Amino acid sequence: MSAESDKQIADILATYGEPLAGNVWRVQGTAVIYHKTLERIAAQAQIAFAPPQILRAERDEAVILVTGEVRLANDAGLRREWSIGEALIGVNYRVSGKQAAYVFAMAEKRAKDRVILKLIGLHGLLYSEDEADEFKRPETAPAPAPQPARRGQRTPQPQTDDPDPATIAVVLRERIDVAGSINAVTDLMLAPETQQQLAYLAPGERDLIREHAKERLVALGWPVRSNRKGT
């Protein structure tokens, strides 16, 4: 993801009070954003969705058409976009073990996220985390399978001392506090090392760390707009 697209994404997110740090990460160069972040943006932008249209309904597959609209600034009319969300178990929607499969919910989430990205001008720059399993954050990704040891090579022993989540949280807060610029905070939160550390934290604690990063961004001068209407 280039610095130019980084700035474009950050500028658009900022208009809805959302920082780049903590909301966006990279998967092989592709920028990915949280579904819940898009939900917050949709609420902030007052995007209205029409009832979804079911195009395909099978036991293991759902295809749904979603239409959304948003009122343009200065009462310049409405902008309307539509998109299709699809979920097919075993093809673009994987479930494992005893995990329940919700093909209709996943198809609707994908369609709504695509509509939101279109309406706010981020389509083509960002992808929702629910677009593909490989887009998931490290904390939700499956662990790699162990590789067999080669002849003459000692088998590595499993690590028994897991990092302490409380210590990780303290260290991350300290690193955020000493970051001296908006770019420094953003780079810190996007760093692979930080993503690995966040993976050890409970979801609630991860949210607190991201909120702490947002507060630091604001303290460093990151522009916050509580309401986009009228801008």
Side-chain angles (χ1 to χ4, degrees):
M1 189 163 59
S2 68
E4 182 180 351
S5 62
D6 269 359
K7 184 178 185 306
Q8 187 176 355
I9 293 169
D11 288 346
I12 293 176
L13 291 180
T15 64
Y16 300 98
E18 297 288 348
L20 185 71
N23 285 319
V24 176
W25 66 99
R26 300 182 183 94
V27 178
Q28 297 181 350
T30 300
V32 184
I33 190 170
Y34 277 114
H35 167 72
K36 63 182 179 181
T37 302
L38 292 178
E39 286 187 317
R40 291 197 300 267
I41 290 175
Q44 176 76 5
Q46 298 182 15
I47 294 175
F49 291 99
Q53 300 180 39
I54 298 176
L55 304 182
R56 182 185 296 274
E58 305 290 345
R59 180 179 179 181
D60 59 350
E61 181 183 14
V63 180
I64 295 178
L65 170 67
V66 168
T67 302
E69 62 182 25
V70 64
R71 184 167 295 280
L72 301 176
N74 302 319
D75 292 327
L78 294 173
R79 178 179 178 181
R80 183 177 291 107
E81 295 285 356
W82 63 270
S83 190
I84 293 174
E86 44 310 267
L88 175 58
I89 296 176
V91 177
N92 64 358
Y93 178 36
R94 293 198 297 267
V95 293
S96 58
K98 296 182 179 179
Q99 179 184 358
Y102 300 99
V103 291
F104 288 95
M106 179 58 70
E108 183 182 10
K109 285 170 66 175
R110 289 173 174 173
K112 282 189 172 181
D113 286 352
R114 292 167 185 170
V115 169
I116 295 169
L117 289 171
K118 287 182 178 182
L119 288 174
I120 66 176
L122 283 176
H123 182 67
L125 294 173
L126 274 180
Y127 292 88
S128 165
E129 63 173 328
D130 288 315
E131 286 285 351
D133 292 311
E134 55 267 26
F135 285 169
K136 292 295 184 181
R137 290 293 291 266
E139 59 262 28
T140 60
Q147 297 297 319
R150 298 178 180 177
R151 183 183 300 274
Q153 178 182 5
R154 296 182 60 186
T155 302
Q157 297 299 315
Q159 298 292 329
T160 57
D161 296 328
D162 290 333
D164 177 35
T167 301
I168 290 175
V170 170
V171 171
L172 284 176
R173 285 188 172 90
E174 291 176 347
R175 294 177 67 188
I176 291 170
D177 290 339
V178 300
S181 68
I182 292 175
N183 286 340
V185 176
T186 300
D187 291 342
L188 171 63
M189 295 302 292
L190 291 176
E193 178 187 357
T194 302
Q195 302 304 322
Q196 293 175 0
Q197 291 173 330
L198 287 170
Y200 286 101
L201 303 180
E205 185 63 34
R206 287 197 295 269
D207 289 340
L208 291 176
I209 294 296
R210 295 183 185 109
E211 186 62 29
H212 190 70
K214 182 176 180 179
E215 291 172 356
R216 180 60 178 160
L217 288 170
V218 173
L220 291 169
W222 181 72
V224 177
R225 302 183 186 181
S226 59
N227 195 330
R228 190 169 182 266
K229 293 297 180 181
T231 59

